[in-house]
PDB file of all heavy atoms in Angstrom:
ATOM      1  N   ASN G 391      53.130  24.174  28.821  1.00  0.00           N
ATOM      2  CA  ASN G 391      53.033  23.542  30.142  1.00  0.00           C
ATOM      3  C   ASN G 391      52.436  22.140  30.036  1.00  0.00           C
ATOM      4  O   ASN G 391      51.608  21.735  30.846  1.00  0.00           O
ATOM      5  CB  ASN G 391      52.188  24.412  31.087  1.00  0.00           C
ATOM      6  CG  ASN G 391      52.387  24.039  32.553  1.00  0.00           C
ATOM      7  OD1 ASN G 391      53.308  23.288  32.894  1.00  0.00           O
ATOM      8  ND2 ASN G 391      51.525  24.549  33.415  1.00  0.00           N
ATOM      9  N   ASP G 392      52.858  21.399  28.980  1.00  0.00           N
ATOM     10  CA  ASP G 392      52.336  20.046  28.782  1.00  0.00           C
ATOM     11  C   ASP G 392      53.389  18.967  29.009  1.00  0.00           C
ATOM     12  O   ASP G 392      53.171  17.796  28.692  1.00  0.00           O
ATOM     13  CB  ASP G 392      51.732  19.894  27.379  1.00  0.00           C
ATOM     14  CG  ASP G 392      52.729  20.205  26.261  1.00  0.00           C
ATOM     15  OD1 ASP G 392      53.913  20.441  26.566  1.00  0.00           O
ATOM     16  OD2 ASP G 392      52.313  20.219  25.081  1.00  0.00           O
ATOM     17  N   GLY G 393      54.555  19.366  29.536  1.00  0.00           N
ATOM     18  CA  GLY G 393      55.592  18.392  29.851  1.00  0.00           C
ATOM     19  C   GLY G 393      56.394  17.913  28.658  1.00  0.00           C
ATOM     20  O   GLY G 393      57.251  17.041  28.796  1.00  0.00           O
ATOM     21  N   ARG G 394      56.148  18.469  27.491  1.00  0.00           N
ATOM     22  CA  ARG G 394      56.846  18.025  26.296  1.00  0.00           C
ATOM     23  C   ARG G 394      57.963  18.992  25.907  1.00  0.00           C
ATOM     24  O   ARG G 394      57.929  20.160  26.249  1.00  0.00           O
ATOM     25  CB  ARG G 394      55.876  17.889  25.113  1.00  0.00           C
ATOM     26  CG  ARG G 394      54.795  16.846  25.309  1.00  0.00           C
ATOM     27  CD  ARG G 394      53.838  16.880  24.135  1.00  0.00           C
ATOM     28  NE  ARG G 394      52.759  15.901  24.275  1.00  0.00           N
ATOM     29  CZ  ARG G 394      51.656  15.907  23.551  1.00  0.00           C
ATOM     30  NH1 ARG G 394      51.473  16.851  22.651  1.00  0.00           N
ATOM     31  NH2 ARG G 394      50.741  14.981  23.728  1.00  0.00           N
ATOM     32  N   MET G 395      58.917  18.456  25.151  1.00  0.00           N
ATOM     33  CA  MET G 395      59.963  19.274  24.570  1.00  0.00           C
ATOM     34  C   MET G 395      60.025  18.990  23.075  1.00  0.00           C
ATOM     35  O   MET G 395      59.650  17.911  22.623  1.00  0.00           O
ATOM     36  CB  MET G 395      61.315  19.014  25.242  1.00  0.00           C
ATOM     37  CG  MET G 395      61.337  19.372  26.730  1.00  0.00           C
ATOM     38  SD  MET G 395      62.967  19.170  27.489  1.00  0.00           S
ATOM     39  CE  MET G 395      63.848  20.589  26.821  1.00  0.00           C
ATOM     40  N   ILE G 396      60.486  19.964  22.306  1.00  0.00           N
ATOM     41  CA  ILE G 396      60.491  19.876  20.852  1.00  0.00           C
ATOM     42  C   ILE G 396      61.921  20.059  20.330  1.00  0.00           C
ATOM     43  O   ILE G 396      62.664  20.914  20.811  1.00  0.00           O
ATOM     44  CB  ILE G 396      59.576  20.965  20.239  1.00  0.00           C
ATOM     45  CG1 ILE G 396      58.125  20.748  20.669  1.00  0.00           C
ATOM     46  CG2 ILE G 396      59.698  20.998  18.717  1.00  0.00           C
ATOM     47  CD1 ILE G 396      57.482  19.494  20.131  1.00  0.00           C
ATOM     48  N   PHE G 397      62.267  19.254  19.332  1.00  0.00           N
ATOM     49  CA  PHE G 397      63.541  19.399  18.630  1.00  0.00           C
ATOM     50  C   PHE G 397      63.338  20.197  17.345  1.00  0.00           C
ATOM     51  O   PHE G 397      62.337  20.012  16.641  1.00  0.00           O
ATOM     52  CB  PHE G 397      64.109  18.028  18.238  1.00  0.00           C
ATOM     53  CG  PHE G 397      64.546  17.176  19.386  1.00  0.00           C
ATOM     54  CD1 PHE G 397      63.719  16.178  19.878  1.00  0.00           C
ATOM     55  CD2 PHE G 397      65.800  17.343  19.955  1.00  0.00           C
ATOM     56  CE1 PHE G 397      64.130  15.369  20.924  1.00  0.00           C
ATOM     57  CE2 PHE G 397      66.217  16.539  21.003  1.00  0.00           C
ATOM     58  CZ  PHE G 397      65.380  15.556  21.493  1.00  0.00           C
ATOM     59  N   VAL G 398      64.308  21.024  17.022  1.00  0.00           N
ATOM     60  CA  VAL G 398      64.393  21.674  15.710  1.00  0.00           C
ATOM     61  C   VAL G 398      65.798  21.372  15.197  1.00  0.00           C
ATOM     62  O   VAL G 398      66.786  21.754  15.840  1.00  0.00           O
ATOM     63  CB  VAL G 398      64.148  23.189  15.799  1.00  0.00           C
ATOM     64  CG1 VAL G 398      64.305  23.831  14.429  1.00  0.00           C
ATOM     65  CG2 VAL G 398      62.770  23.478  16.363  1.00  0.00           C
ATOM     66  N   VAL G 399      65.882  20.678  14.035  1.00  0.00           N
ATOM     67  CA  VAL G 399      67.159  20.100  13.619  1.00  0.00           C
ATOM     68  C   VAL G 399      67.460  20.430  12.161  1.00  0.00           C
ATOM     69  O   VAL G 399      66.628  20.165  11.282  1.00  0.00           O
ATOM     70  CB  VAL G 399      67.129  18.559  13.787  1.00  0.00           C
ATOM     71  CG1 VAL G 399      68.489  17.957  13.434  1.00  0.00           C
ATOM     72  CG2 VAL G 399      66.733  18.179  15.217  1.00  0.00           C
ATOM     73  N   PRO G 400      68.645  21.003  11.873  1.00  0.00           N
ATOM     74  CA  PRO G 400      69.041  21.207  10.475  1.00  0.00           C
ATOM     75  C   PRO G 400      69.500  19.890   9.853  1.00  0.00           C
ATOM     76  O   PRO G 400      70.157  19.076  10.506  1.00  0.00           O
ATOM     77  CB  PRO G 400      70.198  22.201  10.579  1.00  0.00           C
ATOM     78  CG  PRO G 400      70.778  21.976  11.937  1.00  0.00           C
ATOM     79  CD  PRO G 400      69.646  21.520  12.823  1.00  0.00           C
TER      80      PRO G 400
END
Side-chain angles (χ1 to χ4, degrees):
N391 197 12
D392 58 5
R394 297 175 181 165
M395 297 184 74
I396 297 294
F397 292 99
V398 178
V399 183

